[in-house]
Amino acid sequence: IKLKVAYIPNHQYNLETKNITSILMDAQVDEATKEQLKGSGMTFPLKMDMTQNILVEMKTQQFNSKKEIPIAIKYTTFEMKQTMGDKELPSQGNVLKDMKATGFADSNGKIKIENVEGEAVTEEIKKMMINMSDQMGVQIAFPEKPMKVGDQFTQEVPMNMPIQGGVELKMIVKTTYTLKSFTAEMALFDTNVIMTMDLSMNEGTMKAEGAGKGKMTFDITKNYMSTYSSNLDMTMKMKMGPMDMDVKSSTQSEVAVTHL
């Protein structure tokens, strides 16, 4: 079977994502700093839990003269709940809710973002979204030749995300897809993910690596992913001034796509 991501003109895609993350942080600090942190309510090891619910609406229009499909992406829901220990943290608000990005999808399934709007959208956020669309390529880069059950392919996506102050978070996500089975409507894949992150700034450094497994179903009739689920475990080392931190996290993710 030969697969390819392609967008349908005059169509709406709803992408619903749920992420559940558990984080355990430990710090190596001197006794004076430890007592100071304890006085502010932070004792180590420190456990945090985070739940995210995200709904993205993606609407396409008719082909233009360049054979591109104009596309509008809107974050209609972005809910996040965080707890530290047994205390729920106050909501910090979010810059994604009601944010709208517009651009084009080409015949190869690659999206190019040209503009980002929203009440909380800064120039840095706008630049980050545009750069990410340039770096990510297509949603899934299937091989050119047809696949049979048992075949694998690997997609590696390097991304540099600008952080405040001109600092960049460098990230590489490497995903290997294995075709397990297919019918006339759906193809089922197992996935293996390896991720690395690197951040250097004046106040400190952060390095992280992780790995995980998942499953992805691809809707052959719509030329688009239908569902995706994964578990990703990461370890992170951070140095912030006099403090060295070891962080372990585990994230369960589920994505479901519906069509209107």
Side-chain angles (χ1 to χ4, degrees):
I1 189 170
K2 187 174 182 180
L3 303 173
K4 181 182 178 180
V5 174
Y7 289 89
I8 303 170
N10 299 320
H11 193 73
Q12 179 172 327
Y13 303 79
N14 287 350
L15 289 80
E16 188 171 3
T17 302
K18 184 174 184 178
N19 298 317
I20 301 175
T21 303
S22 295
I23 303 171
L24 188 64
M25 297 185 291
D26 204 359
Q28 288 78 48
V29 294
D30 56 48
E31 287 300 320
T33 304
K34 187 179 293 186
E35 287 300 317
Q36 185 179 1
L37 292 170
K38 188 176 181 179
S40 64
M42 293 182 66
T43 57
F44 292 95
L46 182 64
K47 189 177 186 300
M48 293 183 65
D49 293 291
M50 180 172 64
T51 301
Q52 291 177 320
N53 290 298
I54 306 168
L55 179 60
V56 177
E57 290 181 356
M58 189 162 56
K59 295 182 179 180
T60 62
Q61 299 177 23
Q62 190 55 259
F63 287 102
N64 61 18
S65 59
K66 297 180 180 179
K67 299 298 181 182
E68 298 170 326
I69 298 179
I71 196 164
I73 302 169
K74 185 178 181 181
Y75 290 78
T76 58
T77 301
F78 193 100
E79 300 170 343
M80 183 164 63
K81 179 181 177 182
Q82 298 181 86
T83 59
M84 182 181 293
D86 58 354
K87 296 181 180 179
E88 184 172 343
L89 299 178
S91 173
Q92 300 296 316
N94 75 84
V95 297
L96 292 181
K97 188 172 186 305
D98 294 329
M99 183 177 73
K100 183 178 181 180
T102 53
F104 298 91
D106 65 20
S107 59
N108 295 315
K110 184 181 186 305
I111 291 179
K112 167 71 174 176
I113 299 298
E114 294 194 334
N115 190 42
V116 183
E117 299 175 346
E119 288 186 9
V121 173
T122 64
E123 281 302 314
E124 285 185 333
I125 294 171
K126 182 177 179 179
K127 181 181 177 182
M128 180 184 71
M129 294 291 291
I130 292 173
N131 286 347
M132 285 179 63
S133 75
D134 289 340
Q135 296 171 58
M136 286 183 67
V138 298
Q139 180 200 49
I140 306 169
F142 289 107
E144 288 293 325
K145 64 180 182 179
M147 302 181 68
K148 63 181 183 297
V149 172
D151 283 353
Q152 294 183 337
F153 69 96
T154 299
Q155 182 174 6
E156 185 171 311
V157 180
M159 287 188 289
N160 294 343
M161 299 173 61
I163 311 295
Q164 289 184 350
V167 178
E168 282 192 333
L169 171 64
K170 298 179 180 179
M171 180 166 55
I172 298 175
V173 182
K174 186 176 180 180
T175 307
T176 298
Y177 297 84
T178 303
L179 179 60
K180 301 300 292 182
S181 63
F182 64 88
T183 64
E185 292 81 25
M186 290 284 178
L188 174 64
F189 289 83
D190 282 349
T191 63
N192 278 276
V193 178
I194 298 174
M195 180 186 294
T196 60
M197 292 190 292
D198 192 346
L199 175 65
S200 296
M201 49 191 172
N202 293 334
E203 297 83 6
T205 60
M206 183 275 287
K207 292 183 180 295
E209 58 182 20
K213 296 183 178 182
K215 294 185 180 296
M216 187 269 290
T217 56
F218 188 80
D219 189 330
I220 299 170
T221 63
K222 296 287 197 300
N223 290 318
Y224 205 77
M225 182 185 74
S226 178
T227 63
Y228 179 71
S229 61
S230 69
N231 292 289
L232 180 67
D233 295 324
M234 296 200 72
T235 58
M236 182 185 305
K237 289 188 176 294
M238 301 175 64
K239 184 173 181 60
M240 304 185 69
M243 185 185 300
D244 290 325
M245 296 189 69
D246 292 315
V247 182
K248 293 182 178 180
S249 70
S250 180
T251 301
Q252 295 179 328
S253 298
E254 292 184 0
V255 182
V257 180
T258 54
H259 303 264
L260 296 178

